[in-house]
Structures are given as C-alpha cells and as structure tokens.
C-alpha cells in the first residue's frame, strides 16, 4: 500500500504535538476543576461554620438567606433528631433519608460524601452539630446539589479544554503547512524526474530554496545537462552509423564511376600525348583521386581509420588544395587571398583526412560568396602559429549561416543549402577532434570565419598516446 511522505511527516509530528497538548490541557482542566471544587467547599465550609457557631437563633429566614449566598440547602434538626426548620419542602421519604445522614464533628469534604437522592434531585450531604449559640443545640444538615457542584467544576475546566482544542487545531494546521512545504518540492522533483525519463531535459526550478532540497534540484540540473550531452552524442553517433550503412552501396558505385573516369583520363593522355601535360587534365585527375579518397572516408564514417598519421606542413597542404579550387574562383570572379608564415607549420595527421577538411571549408566559403553574386566576393585563408598550435582560418564575405541552423552547424544533416547534405562540417569536426584539435565558427564584422586549431608536431610528440584518426 502506498504511504505518502506527507502522511509520514504529518502523522508522527501531529501525534506527538497533539498528545502533548491533550496532556497539558487535561492536567490544566483537572487542576482548575479541583481548585474550583475546593473554592466551593471553602465557601460552603465558611457559611456552615458561621451557622454552627452563630449566637443568634437559626430560624428558617436565616437559613434561606444563607442558602441564597452559598447555593446549598439547609435542614436544622433538634437535639432529639426531629425537624426544626428547612430551606426546602420535606416529605416523609426525604425526612427518613436525611435522618440517616451520619453526624460528624466537622464537615467532611462533600466530594467524598455519598450522594443523597431527594425527590428527583441528587445532593451531596453532610451533618454537623450546632453550637450553644443557637439556643437549642441539635445538628445542621448541609445539602449541596450534585449537578451544581459538577457544573462549577466543568465551568472551571472549560477554558483549559478550549485552549487545548484551539492549540491542537493550530498545531494540526501548522504541521500540515510544514508537511506541504516539504512535500510540494519533493513532488515537483519526482514529476521532473519522470519528465527527464521521458526525454525532457529542461532544468528544474525551485525558487527560494536554500536547503537540501535546493541542492538536490541543482544536482538534478547537473545530471540533466550531462544526460542532454550524452543523448546528443548518442544521436550523433547513431546518425553517422546510419549514414555509413545506408550510403555504403551508393559510395561503392560512385567509387567505381570515379575509377572509370580516372582510367578514361589516363587513356586520353596515352592517346593524345600533346595534351598529357595540360593543367586542366592534371586538375581533373587530382579531383577524381580526391573524390575516390572522400568516398573511402565516407565508407568509414563513424569508425576509426586504419591509415597512419604522418608529419605534414599545413601551409604546403593548403597550397595544393587551393590549386584545385583556383579555377572555380577564377570562373566565379572571387578574390582568393592566402596568408601564411614563412616558417613551416608541421602537424601529425592523416593526409587524406586533413586535406578533406581543408577542401570542405574552402568550398563552403566559395559557395557562400558565389550565391550572392561576384560583387565584393572574397575568400581569405590565413595560417599562423599560436603557441604550440597551428591555426587555420577560413573567411568569406558571404551572409553567414541562417539563424535556425547557426548553433547546430557541425551536426550531421544540418544545412541551410537547398542542395546540401549537411555532412561536410560534420566530417570536418570528426577529423579535427580525432587529431586532438578544435573547430569553431564566428562572425567578424562582415566576414564569416571558420577556425581550425591543431597541435604542432612538438606538442603532439609530448603525448604518449597515438593519434586516433
């Protein structure tokens, strides 16, 4: 059976508090009732003492006046036990009952005396001797209504009971509010945990909580951020794996087509020796070889490459790539600038993979400026050393990525190009990270810049672990 935590908190706390209040209120009521009874008894004892020691005759008028002051009924008996006077009507049965009341030298406690039923009413009775001041002697029977005695005790105990009841109600209300104050955030955290399990990774918000529950909410937030990152990594890996599986057949066919086109170029060179050294044929041949290497890379996308890294001068590699895209820039009237230092920038990398990164970034820059006309179209490639890292910066004068894709450019299949696949930057990021580098993008005034940082050979040699390409 489900036992809500609110009940677990409320019932024990409330039980202890209510028990303490009940005991306190009961003790107070009992003390008040006893005190009220004693006060009644003292007043009655004082009246009785006045009557028994009075020097004046105890006439019926005197007894009635004393009855009005004390609330008791009085019966005066002669020395021989016959009735002399009384403050209430006395029938034979009442006379018989009163005659049986035991005589004592002093009036005992009425609360301890046996009740005496006269007519339809019950009395507490006591019988004391009357002194010589009465002129006749005899005894005085004191009859006090039992219901009036109990009513006085109840009236004295009522305030303590009322205060106890109010205190118990207040304690119950306060305890319920405290339990609710603790249970509500716990319930919120439980609901949030269920939402996280369903894939909703929004942060938890508990306002004005500077306690353990607030710390628990912060821990859940950190866990949520980690789960969000893990989920993104899993999705990314699944996309790459799916891409490799679905594209294997298509890539195989494209490789065959590229190999056939390359063989056709070689045959043309053999058949037309005059054109064998033409620049256009050389560019076409290198493009087909690059296409073949890209397809190999595509087939192993999402898996480690078996190729071994080698020491490469990034500046030379960039110049070789730019010779391939030079005709496209010339055709599109795009200004192409290259800035590189005089010193070599050597990195340890897989040649085909790093060449693919450079080609992707340069072609993206060219496509970005070409789509907005030749006026002011400019692509700049800058190479520099920054400490122990080689920095490659590719800038273009294009408009930059669309706002809805700007934060997810390096995710697979994320593109704002009508005919794009969204794989170029994803592959570039994978290659750069496998070479212990970083890649990022930013807007610099009117230029869009993609920056790649790779550790130089002296920095890479300091690490014992090999590069996982």
């Amino acid at each position: 059976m489900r036992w809500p935590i609110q009940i677990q908190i409320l019932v024990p706390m409330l039980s202890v508090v209510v028990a303490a209040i009940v005991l306190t209120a009961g003790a107070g009521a009992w003390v008040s009732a006893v005190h009220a009874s004693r006060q009644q008894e003292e007043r009655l004892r004082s009246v009785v003492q006045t009557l028994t020691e009075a020097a004046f005759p105890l006439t019926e008028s005197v007894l009635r006046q004393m009855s009005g002051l004390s609330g008791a009924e009085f019966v005066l008996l002669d020395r021989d036990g016959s009735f002399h006077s009384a403050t209430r009507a006395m029938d034979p049965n009442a006379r018989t009952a009163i005659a049986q009341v035991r005589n004592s030298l002093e009036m005992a406690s009425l609360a301890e005396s046996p009740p005496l039923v006269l007519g339809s009413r019950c009395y507490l009775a006591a019988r004391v001797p009357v002194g010589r001041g009465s002129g006749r002697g005899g005894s005085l029977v004191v009859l006090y209504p039992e219901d009036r005695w109990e009513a006085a005790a109840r009236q004295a105990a009522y305030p303590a009971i009322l205060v106890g009841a109010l205190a118990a109600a207040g304690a119950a209300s306060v305890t319920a509010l405290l339990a609710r104050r603790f249970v509500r955030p716990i319930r919120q955290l439980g609901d949030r945990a269920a939402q996280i399990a369903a894939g909703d990774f929004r942060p938890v918000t508990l306002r004005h909580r500077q306690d353990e529950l607030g710390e628990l909410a912060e821990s859940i937030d950190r866990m949520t951020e980690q789960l969000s990152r893990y989920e993104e990594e899993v999705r990314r890996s699944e996309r790459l794996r799916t891409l490799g599986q679905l594209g294997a057949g298509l890539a195989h066919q494209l490789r065959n087509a590229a190999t056939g086109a390359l063989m056709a170029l070689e045959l043309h060179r053999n058949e037309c020796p005059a054109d064998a050294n033409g620049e256009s044929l050389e560019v076409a041949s290198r493009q087909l070889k690059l296409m073949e290497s890209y397809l190999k890379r595509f087939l192993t996308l999402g898996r480690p490459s078996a190729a071994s890294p080698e020491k490469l001068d990034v500046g030379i590699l960039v110049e070789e790539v730019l010779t391939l895209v030079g005709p496209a820039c010339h055709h599109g009237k795009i200004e192409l600038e290259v800035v590189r230092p005089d010193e070599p920038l050597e990195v340890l990398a897989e040649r085909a993979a790093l060449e693919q990164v450079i080609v992707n970034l340069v072609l993206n820059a060219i496509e970005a400026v070409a789509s907005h006309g030749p006026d002011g179209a400019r692509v700049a490639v800058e190479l520099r050393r920054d400490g122990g890292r080689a920095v490659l910066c590719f800038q273009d004068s294009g408009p930059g990525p669309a706002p809805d894709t700007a934060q997810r450019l390096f995710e697979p299949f994320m593109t704002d190009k009508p005919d794009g696949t969204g794989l170029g930057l994803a592959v570039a990021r994978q290659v750069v990270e496998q070479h212990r580098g970083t890649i990022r993008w930013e807007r610099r005034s009117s230029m869009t810049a993609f920056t790649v940082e790779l550790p130089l050979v002296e920095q890479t040699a300091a690490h014992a672990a090999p590069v996982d390409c």
Side-chain angles (χ1 to χ4, degrees):
M1 184 179 67
R2 187 173 181 270
W3 189 242
I5 191 170
Q6 185 172 3
I7 302 300
Q8 297 182 43
I9 296 175
L10 183 61
V11 170
M13 292 178 60
L14 190 58
S15 299
V16 173
V17 173
V18 171
I21 292 174
V22 169
L23 290 176
T24 303
W30 180 80
V31 170
S32 299
V34 171
H35 181 67
S37 297
R38 287 179 178 177
Q39 284 185 331
Q40 288 186 91
E41 194 166 8
E42 290 297 329
R43 287 195 301 267
L44 186 58
R45 193 185 300 275
S46 177
V47 172
V48 171
Q49 185 177 2
T50 301
L51 292 175
T52 56
E53 297 179 358
F56 51 85
L58 298 181
T59 63
E60 185 175 341
S61 176
V62 172
L63 294 179
R64 289 188 181 279
Q65 289 180 2
M66 289 301 185
S67 176
L69 292 175
S70 63
E73 301 288 349
F74 298 102
V75 178
L76 183 61
L77 300 177
D78 291 333
R79 186 173 301 172
D80 57 0
S82 60
F83 285 83
H84 181 271
S85 59
T87 58
R88 71 180 302 276
M90 303 300 294
D91 56 18
N93 292 332
R95 291 173 182 270
T96 302
I98 290 175
Q100 295 175 357
V101 176
R102 187 171 57 88
N103 194 7
S104 60
L105 295 178
E106 295 182 356
M107 190 180 75
S109 175
L110 289 179
E112 298 175 359
S113 63
L116 182 65
V117 178
L118 300 177
S120 61
R121 199 168 189 182
C122 188
Y123 293 89
L124 301 175
R127 182 174 179 179
V128 294
V130 178
R132 287 179 296 180
S134 63
R136 298 182 59 180
S139 60
L140 180 68
V141 179
V142 182
L143 302 173
Y144 199 92
E146 187 180 29
D147 55 352
R148 180 177 294 181
W149 186 278
E150 295 176 351
R154 286 196 301 270
Q155 187 174 4
Y158 177 75
I161 296 175
L162 178 60
V163 171
L166 293 176
S173 301
V174 172
T175 306
L177 291 176
L178 289 176
R180 183 179 180 184
R181 185 175 184 271
F182 286 103
V183 170
R184 180 185 297 174
I186 293 175
R187 186 179 294 115
Q188 291 177 355
L189 292 176
D191 295 341
R192 191 69 198 93
Q195 294 174 358
I196 293 173
D200 184 358
F201 297 113
R202 291 176 298 176
V204 180
T205 302
L206 287 183
R207 298 181 178 177
H208 311 298
R209 299 297 306 199
Q210 302 296 330
D211 53 11
E212 287 78 1
L213 290 177
E215 294 174 356
L216 178 59
E218 293 177 359
S219 300
I220 293 178
D221 283 342
R222 291 193 295 269
M223 179 192 69
T224 302
E225 293 177 1
Q226 293 178 357
L227 288 177
S228 179
R229 290 195 297 268
Y230 293 158
E231 183 189 40
E232 192 62 31
E233 290 297 328
V234 170
R235 288 182 178 179
R236 177 185 170 195
S237 300
E238 289 298 326
R239 288 172 181 173
L240 294 177
R241 187 176 295 109
T242 302
L243 177 63
Q245 294 173 351
L246 296 179
L250 177 61
H252 180 72
Q253 297 298 326
L254 291 176
R255 281 187 62 194
N256 291 339
T259 301
L262 188 59
M263 293 177 61
L265 282 178
E266 295 297 331
L267 290 175
H268 179 73
R269 282 181 175 179
N270 295 333
E271 294 176 357
C272 303
D275 297 334
N277 297 324
E279 181 181 358
S280 59
L281 289 179
E282 181 65 23
V283 171
S285 177
R286 291 184 61 188
Q287 290 281 18
L288 288 172
K289 290 179 180 180
L290 279 177
M291 180 179 177
E292 185 177 8
S293 68
Y294 295 162
L295 291 172
K296 289 181 181 179
R297 187 76 185 179
F298 177 82
L299 290 174
T300 60
L301 188 62
R303 302 191 301 270
S305 174
S308 300
E310 58 182 300
K311 185 186 296 185
L312 299 173
D313 186 347
V314 179
I316 296 176
L317 190 61
V318 168
E319 287 187 353
E320 292 177 356
V321 171
L322 293 181
T323 58
L324 299 178
V325 299
C329 292
H330 179 73
H331 178 74
K333 298 180 180 181
I334 298 172
E335 180 184 356
L336 181 61
E337 297 180 6
V338 181
V339 178
R340 55 169 296 188
D342 296 332
E343 59 179 338
L345 299 175
E346 294 184 336
V347 299
L348 192 64
E350 179 191 344
R351 182 183 185 88
L354 188 55
E355 188 177 50
Q356 183 179 5
V357 172
I358 297 173
V359 170
N360 282 341
L361 294 177
V362 173
L363 289 179
N364 283 348
I366 293 174
E367 292 176 0
V369 297
S371 60
H372 288 76
D375 296 338
R378 177 170 169 263
V379 174
V381 181
E382 178 185 1
L383 284 76
R384 66 178 186 275
R385 174 191 290 265
D386 185 5
R389 302 176 75 83
V391 180
L392 294 77
C393 185
F394 303 87
Q395 302 184 62
D396 64 79
S397 59
D404 56 340
T405 60
Q407 303 300 323
R408 304 173 61 189
L409 283 180
F410 297 101
E411 296 182 10
F413 310 109
M414 182 56 60
T415 181
D416 55 1
K417 301 177 184 177
D419 55 348
T421 61
L423 295 175
L425 291 177
V427 172
R429 176 184 177 180
Q430 179 185 3
V431 172
V432 170
E433 290 180 350
Q434 288 173 349
H435 287 81
R436 300 189 182 91
T438 60
I439 182 172
R440 65 181 185 276
W441 80 275
E442 59 184 333
R443 284 289 294 179
R444 300 178 180 174
S445 299
S446 60
M447 303 286 285
T448 302
F450 284 83
T451 303
V452 176
E453 295 186 10
L454 296 171
L456 294 171
V457 171
E458 58 266 24
Q459 291 296 117
T460 306
H463 299 277
V467 177
D468 184 17
C469 296

